[in-house]
Amino acid sequence: MNGPVVVGVDGSPSGLAAVEAAAREAERRGVGLELAHALVWSWGPVPAGVAPWDPDGVRQRDRVNEALTDAEWRARKVAPELVITREVLVGEAVSVLEREARPASLAVVGTHRVRGLRRLLVGSTAGHLSAHGSCPVLVVRGRQNGTGPVVLVDMAAAREATEFAFAEAAERGVDLVVLHHPARRSGTGSLSGLRERYPDVTVRSRPVRRRHRALAETSVGAQLVVVGVRRRNGTTGVLSVREGRAILRYSHCSVALVPSGKV
């Protein structure tokens, strides 16, 4: 996808970390960066996409402009030549980001409001986007490592997640490590087309019995963990609450949620 990288801006420290990560991703992909701010209207529900206005007067406008200016400054420190656009839309953050992410190549969010995977995959912004959106969602967390491998948690071997992991490893010039259960053949073994498309990617298949411990150990030096999220009738179906909570709890680096199946 050639759409922009979209990141939510709320002025929080984790939100600014997400902006910096989004700027790096946009620069690496050769696309623009969109800074999206959701302006909540306290007088009742407002559909996403309504043109912004200032219900609280100048102070509200100044606060929003300050948050966006700070975010743009942080993004340009990472990628000075990046094309950056700003969008301020009235509505809840989840609805606004879902709308803005429809043509995007990647949506980026922080983790400051995440409390366990049930909130992440069901109630939070990241969960809503991965269940209802059309692009991968990058959840920024942990230390940013620029030299480690990409790790694929091969729970269901969804092609979309596997292809995303191959592409990320190729673009970053690093190995792809696939974690899978010993009794289950790694999904990458049957995807010879991806191996041919990305001949420079070295794939290291790692059978693990205690996936959570292996994920914690492997992610310490990793750049990114990739997880497939299969949707059934608009809901997440592959990641259980227990499994996904463990992925976020034990991963020491950012996690990419890659949707598959129909919304």
Side-chain angles (χ1 to χ4, degrees):
M1 296 180 66
N2 296 320
V5 172
V6 175
V7 59
V9 173
D10 61 7
S12 68
S14 65
L16 290 174
V19 168
E20 292 180 354
R24 284 190 289 268
E25 294 296 325
E27 182 180 48
R28 191 160 52 81
R29 286 169 166 76
V31 298
L33 174 66
E34 179 182 322
L35 306 175
H37 180 86
L39 186 62
V40 179
W41 186 28
S42 59
W43 290 4
V46 176
V50 175
W53 64 294
D54 194 10
D56 296 329
V58 176
R59 287 180 299 177
Q60 176 81 341
R61 183 170 60 249
D62 289 346
R63 182 185 64 79
V64 172
N65 286 336
E66 181 180 356
L68 288 170
T69 299
D70 192 17
E72 183 171 347
W73 179 77
R74 296 286 286 267
R76 292 207 181 280
K77 284 186 63 178
V78 174
E81 303 301 320
L82 197 62
V83 175
I84 300 176
T85 58
R86 300 180 179 189
E87 293 290 342
V88 181
L89 298 172
V90 174
E92 295 294 334
V94 170
S95 299
V96 166
L97 280 178
E98 180 188 347
R99 176 185 180 276
E100 293 303 294
R102 287 172 189 169
S105 58
L106 182 72
V108 182
V109 298
T111 56
H112 63 292
R113 294 181 179 177
V114 175
R115 296 180 181 177
L117 186 68
R118 181 176 296 278
R119 183 171 177 80
L120 174 68
L121 287 185
V122 179
S124 73
T125 302
H128 187 89
L129 290 174
S130 62
H132 300 278
S134 58
C135 69
V137 181
L138 177 65
V139 183
V140 178
R141 57 174 288 113
R143 293 175 294 179
Q144 303 303 306
N145 185 338
T147 59
V150 170
V151 177
L152 173 64
V153 181
D154 184 22
M155 290 179 297
R159 183 178 180 88
E160 291 87 348
T162 306
E163 186 167 3
F164 182 88
F166 264 95
E168 289 295 309
E171 291 176 4
R172 297 165 189 253
V174 298
D175 292 354
L176 174 61
V177 178
V178 182
L179 303 182
H180 65 94
H181 194 276
R184 179 187 300 165
R185 183 183 178 185
S186 171
T188 57
S190 61
L191 298 178
S192 58
L194 289 177
R195 293 179 181 270
E196 294 174 0
R197 190 188 310 175
Y198 301 103
D200 295 331
V201 175
T202 298
V203 180
R204 291 187 279 133
S205 181
R206 182 179 174 185
V208 293
R209 294 188 179 279
R210 297 183 177 180
R211 182 158 31 213
H212 303 161
R213 178 180 295 180
L215 174 62
E217 295 173 351
T218 307
S219 65
V220 168
Q223 293 190 42
L224 178 69
V225 168
V226 179
V227 184
V229 179
R230 181 164 298 160
R231 299 172 300 195
R232 298 187 180 95
N233 299 322
T235 61
T236 53
V238 166
L239 284 178
S240 68
V241 170
R242 177 183 177 185
E243 186 77 46
R245 183 186 294 118
I247 289 172
L248 286 179
R249 178 183 300 167
Y250 292 110
S251 178
H252 292 274
C253 64
S254 297
V255 177
L257 304 174
V258 183
S260 65
K262 296 181 179 181
V263 178

